[in-house]
Amino acid sequence: MQLGMIGLGRMGGNMVRRLLAAGHRCVVYDVDPSARAAAARQGATACDSLAALVSALEPPRVLWVMVPAALVDEVLAGLAPLLRAADIVVDGGNSLWRDDVRRAAGLAASGVEYMDVGTSGGVRGLERGYCLMVGGSADGFSRIEPLLLALAPGSAAAAPTPGRPVGGSAEQGYMHCGPAGAGHFVKMVHNAIEYGIMAAYAEGFNLLHQAGPEHYDFDLPEIAELWRRGSVIGSWLLDLTSQALYADPGLQRYAGKVADSGEGRWALNAAVDLGVPVPILAASLFGRFESRDGAEFAMKTLSAMREQFGGHTEAHGPVSAPPQPELKKRP
């Protein structure tokens, strides 16, 4: 099958390589000439403009956009006049689902199909495959399914669920989630859950780190390695944490200022709109804000209040908790 890929960054470039390995023809475009050249060395046909890319594909075409969410509308504005009825545009980035609904309606007026595909797999997706959450029409899903099958990890990526009938695309690592916006809505919630899991691991390892050497001098890389085997908290994220701790036990190369790419905020907005409680997801997002000094003035305010009402001087450096009274049973 032929595909036009727009955007050859950390995700798009590797996706092209995976598609080429599966025998698909890839015509590519990126604003960076070096990215185009790298894709060409892998066997793709590189173009220096959107017009050249569209012309190099036989209609009906599939154009897959892998650019930051803030740039999707700009790319579509340049792409839409070049398309014709029955072409498909796929947004595989992390767009807001409401934008998908708007874009799908706008392109439908000219007979162009719009599909949103939430794509999870990161920089390791080339080898592992990508989990693909698809929104759009059932017909559009069927038309791009050969591409999804090539990008997805396949059924061997996880053991079968006991009692579940064998079969279905979810077992392969891709799924039609519903109409326009559904794919990115599922991916939005996926990323919010990811925030929460990451925060739980981070807090747990921090607790172990703070316990030593005064109490226990824990070997964090070995504990992470231990938990990977037979533990109920094993996961790929733990695998990656173990690798990071082994390479740098003190995590000295990191400043600890954690970015957020938008999906966590959108998930909280959706939860508020629907009246759904998500306290853990909210806490994990606010923790990222705090890591970027978002709470610095709040902490200064707390110190100021303690000084005002109790004459407490501000603490500097590590603070030990006050001794706790021993609880005794009633006679």
Side-chain angles (χ1 to χ4, degrees):
M1 185 174 175
Q2 64 172 359
L3 166 79
M5 180 67 78
I6 300 167
L8 301 170
R10 289 174 295 180
M11 294 279 283
N14 280 344
M15 291 169 71
V16 166
R17 293 176 62 186
R18 190 170 174 91
L19 289 166
L20 289 169
H24 295 285
R25 175 177 176 249
C26 295
V27 182
V28 302
Y29 169 72
D30 192 281
V31 294
D32 182 0
S34 64
R36 300 198 298 263
R41 289 193 294 270
Q42 297 293 330
T45 300
C47 300
D48 59 6
S49 68
L50 289 177
L53 178 134
V54 172
S55 296
L57 295 166
E58 294 293 328
R61 312 168 182 89
V62 176
L63 291 305
W64 194 301
V65 180
M66 286 300 294
V67 300
L71 299 179
V72 173
D73 281 329
E74 178 182 337
V75 171
L76 291 182
L79 192 60
L82 306 172
L83 304 179
R84 63 178 67 175
D87 287 346
I88 294 180
V89 175
V90 177
D91 177 8
N94 282 324
S95 289
L96 176 62
W97 64 275
R98 294 185 188 276
D99 290 336
D100 295 319
V101 175
R102 169 180 55 81
R103 293 164 184 159
L107 288 172
S110 56
V112 175
E113 185 92 41
Y114 177 91
M115 307 293 295
D116 51 284
V117 179
T119 307
S120 180
V123 295
R124 299 175 188 248
L126 173 61
E127 295 82 17
R128 289 171 50 91
Y130 301 89
C131 179
L132 304 163
M133 296 147 266
V134 186
S137 72
D139 179 66
F141 175 76
S142 296
R143 288 178 57 191
I144 67 172
E145 191 165 11
L147 302 172
L148 303 174
L149 189 59
L151 290 168
S155 60
T161 297
R164 178 185 178 275
V166 175
S169 67
E171 185 177 285
Q172 300 297 323
Y174 66 95
M175 176 181 171
H176 184 219
C177 299
H184 278 149
F185 194 101
V186 174
K187 179 57 163 43
M188 172 186 75
V189 176
H190 164 284
N191 281 25
I193 293 171
E194 178 185 304
Y195 282 24
I197 295 172
M198 292 172 69
Y201 279 131
E203 289 183 8
F205 279 104
N206 184 48
L207 181 57
L208 292 171
H209 173 72
Q210 298 294 343
E214 182 179 347
H215 299 290
Y216 298 102
D217 193 9
F218 289 124
D219 188 330
L220 300 191
E222 288 302 292
I223 290 174
E225 192 67 22
L226 169 69
W227 285 349
R228 293 181 62 221
R229 291 166 170 78
S231 165
V232 297
I233 63 168
S235 72
W236 184 45
L237 284 173
L238 181 60
D239 296 343
L240 299 178
T241 304
S242 179
Q243 293 177 36
L245 288 170
Y246 177 76
D248 181 6
L251 303 180
Q252 297 298 319
R253 58 180 289 245
Y254 301 98
K257 297 183 182 297
V258 187
D260 68 286
S261 54
E263 296 85 359
R265 303 181 190 216
W266 300 339
L268 292 195
N269 290 338
V272 171
D273 290 342
L274 295 170
V276 176
V278 289
I280 293 173
L281 305 187
S284 66
L285 176 63
F286 293 145
R288 294 191 178 205
F289 295 167
E290 189 170 15
S291 78
R292 305 195 297 267
D293 299 327
E296 182 180 8
F297 193 79
M299 296 303 106
K300 289 181 177 180
T301 304
L302 287 176
S303 286
M305 287 189 287
R306 292 187 79 248
E307 182 181 52
Q308 290 294 324
F309 71 70
H312 303 292
T313 58
E314 189 170 40
H316 297 280
V319 180
S320 298
Q324 298 296 314
E326 183 180 353
L327 295 177
K328 296 181 180 179
K329 293 183 179 180
R330 292 182 179 179

